[in-house]
Amino acid sequence: VPAARPCYPQTVLLSDIRGQNPAIAALERALATDRTAHAYLFDGPSGVGKQRAAVALGLAALCPEKPGKGCGRCAVCMRILAGNHPDVRVFCPRDEGARNLQVETLRSDILPVAQFAPFEGRQAFLIFPDADISFPEQHPEAANALLKTLEEPRPRVHFILLSARPDRLLVTIRSRCQRVRFGRLPPLVLEHVLENAGVAQAEWETAIALSDGRADRALAMAEGGTGKHLLERALVIDAALERGSPGRLIGLSEELAKAQDLPLIVEMLTIFYRDVAASALGVARRGLLLASEQERVSEQARKIGAARASARVRELGQLGELFAKNANPQITLDHLLLALRRVS
Ligand SMILES: [Zn+2]
């Protein structure tokens, strides 16, 4: 049996997974009634716990110490968590090259496991992170091989497909899977994640504001003070809009067009003006994403008001669309800064 690639991090029980109550409750119910589906599609943004939940489901099903829950400490649990148990296997897409699972890998590694498992436990779980990348609709060879396996379910073998973009999977694959939805994580859960990762509290606010409810993104934005740096850059733009002449704005735009993290700066500026609009509408400090900038937020709220702040949010949103279409960043920014200036 080829070794599973352990691409999941730490001890995890279903009960450890926070902020996903409906999904976890559905899985616990299935375990308790012995109705675990033959194939699941865990659908939701990356970094919200889909893979942890998939491994935790396998662990709960196989743990002999605490059946239906998992203990995280016995020999079976330890092997699962180390990626060494033949009945709980994680198949990540290839990092390099075509990015899909090669059909040879499917034939040599995955299908035989599906055919002969479970090897040691009562059940087996085959987990596919980024299933839309492993089995993309436009490379139907691997997808069709998987489909064939899903169409001939073997008892006690469970497939768990994880995807942030399930619309990129074949409809025929999706329809074979029971869908479990994973949502964005609330701020309190993200604080817990950052705290556990040893991130200084001073970094939490900007990291969570930019996180889009995803733990992976919150951690990336906290790293090296990225979020705070982005906020500084965004506030420079805001200050230039208040005071700058059109000439100075074009100078700023030339500088910004070279910034590698421009989309993130724009996102942070959008968050700032959303807070300005909220503050102008009477939202209290605790309702702001950037609560520690409350003074500046409320000063701007008095100056420009909710309507102009939300007009700026709209202009910035259009900029994001233009970037996505690969518009010339310099020209796009010139237009944007002058347009923002008009709504000030
Ligand atoms: Zn155990």
Side-chain angles (χ1 to χ4, degrees):
V1 177
R5 207 173 115 199
C7 49
Y8 38 89
Q10 70 276 47
T11 301
V12 54
L13 306 180
L14 282 172
S15 57
D16 292 333
I17 296 170
R18 295 169 176 235
Q20 301 294 359
N21 293 348
I24 300 304
L27 297 175
E28 285 174 336
R29 235 177 1 256
L31 282 166
T33 54
D34 204 16
R35 285 192 190 142
T36 315
H38 165 63
Y40 283 110
L41 172 57
F42 288 5
D43 159 6
S46 75
V48 300
K50 298 192 301 295
Q51 190 171 328
R52 282 158 47 94
V55 174
L57 178 65
L59 188 138
L62 297 189
C63 172
E65 299 297 324
K66 285 192 177 176
K69 293 190 187 306
C71 73
R73 286 188 296 270
C74 71
V76 170
C77 284
M78 297 297 271
R79 284 173 68 204
I80 292 171
L81 291 168
N84 290 330
H85 197 292
D87 290 323
V88 178
R89 310 171 57 83
V90 180
F91 297 98
C92 293
R94 298 186 313 147
D95 294 326
E96 80 295 349
R99 301 260 293 153
N100 56 324
L101 274 173
Q102 284 178 309
V103 89
E104 306 89 76
T105 312
L106 196 78
R107 291 207 178 105
S108 64
D109 295 5
I110 300 170
L111 297 184
V113 174
Q115 190 178 352
F116 300 119
F119 295 101
E120 297 181 20
R122 292 172 49 240
Q123 304 176 60
F125 294 83
L126 281 69
I127 301 165
F128 298 89
D130 296 318
D132 53 293
I133 296 173
S134 291
F135 307 106
E137 205 175 10
Q138 72 270 28
H139 291 279
E141 219 184 344
N144 283 329
L146 173 71
L147 178 63
K148 197 161 174 297
T149 312
L150 293 178
E151 280 171 341
E152 295 160 7
R154 286 181 39 80
R156 300 181 293 131
V157 175
H158 306 275
F159 286 77
I160 309 179
L161 278 56
L162 318 179
S163 178
R165 295 296 310 267
D167 54 306
R168 292 184 182 174
L169 285 164
L170 289 175
V171 169
T172 40
I173 288 182
R174 268 182 283 163
S175 68
R176 293 274 160 189
C177 298
Q178 184 174 321
R179 199 176 278 221
V180 180
R181 290 178 200 281
F182 285 71
R184 290 182 160 69
L185 299 173
L188 276 177
V189 172
L190 292 167
E191 282 183 10
H192 184 80
V193 168
L194 293 172
E195 189 173 17
N196 275 355
V199 173
Q201 202 166 346
E203 309 287 344
W204 293 3
E205 184 176 272
T206 47
I208 291 172
L210 285 165
S211 69
D212 192 28
R214 293 165 41 193
D216 56 348
R217 198 138 192 258
L219 288 165
M221 291 298 119
E223 202 178 308
T226 302
K228 286 174 85 176
H229 169 73
L230 292 167
L231 178 61
E232 277 167 30
R233 303 283 312 258
L235 293 179
V236 167
I237 301 175
D238 173 60
L241 288 170
E242 289 320 304
R243 292 190 297 271
S245 63
R248 276 179 68 184
L249 287 176
I250 289 180
L252 178 66
S253 129
E254 276 168 13
E255 189 192 315
L256 283 170
K258 289 180 217 129
Q260 298 224 317
D261 46 5
L262 181 60
L264 286 170
I265 298 172
V266 168
E267 206 177 321
M268 187 53 109
L269 190 60
T270 309
I271 291 167
F272 176 73
Y273 287 130
R274 193 163 53 203
D275 268 5
V276 170
S279 175
L281 294 169
V283 171
R285 185 177 192 273
R286 64 186 152 78
L288 302 180
L289 289 166
L290 304 169
S292 61
E293 294 296 324
Q294 187 202 18
E295 217 170 290
R296 180 151 184 176
V297 165
S298 51
E299 186 193 329
Q300 276 294 57
R302 279 193 300 278
K303 272 194 201 153
I304 68 173
R308 286 187 212 162
S310 63
R312 287 185 179 187
V313 169
R314 279 197 301 279
E315 293 284 352
L316 288 166
Q318 284 173 10
L319 179 67
E321 284 168 30
L322 288 171
F323 283 151
K325 287 181 198 155
N326 286 321
N328 179 320
Q330 181 67 68
I331 295 169
T332 310
L333 267 172
D334 290 350
H335 281 287
L336 170 85
L337 290 174
L338 294 173
L340 287 177
R341 181 91 182 104
R342 274 197 299 279
V343 287
S344 63

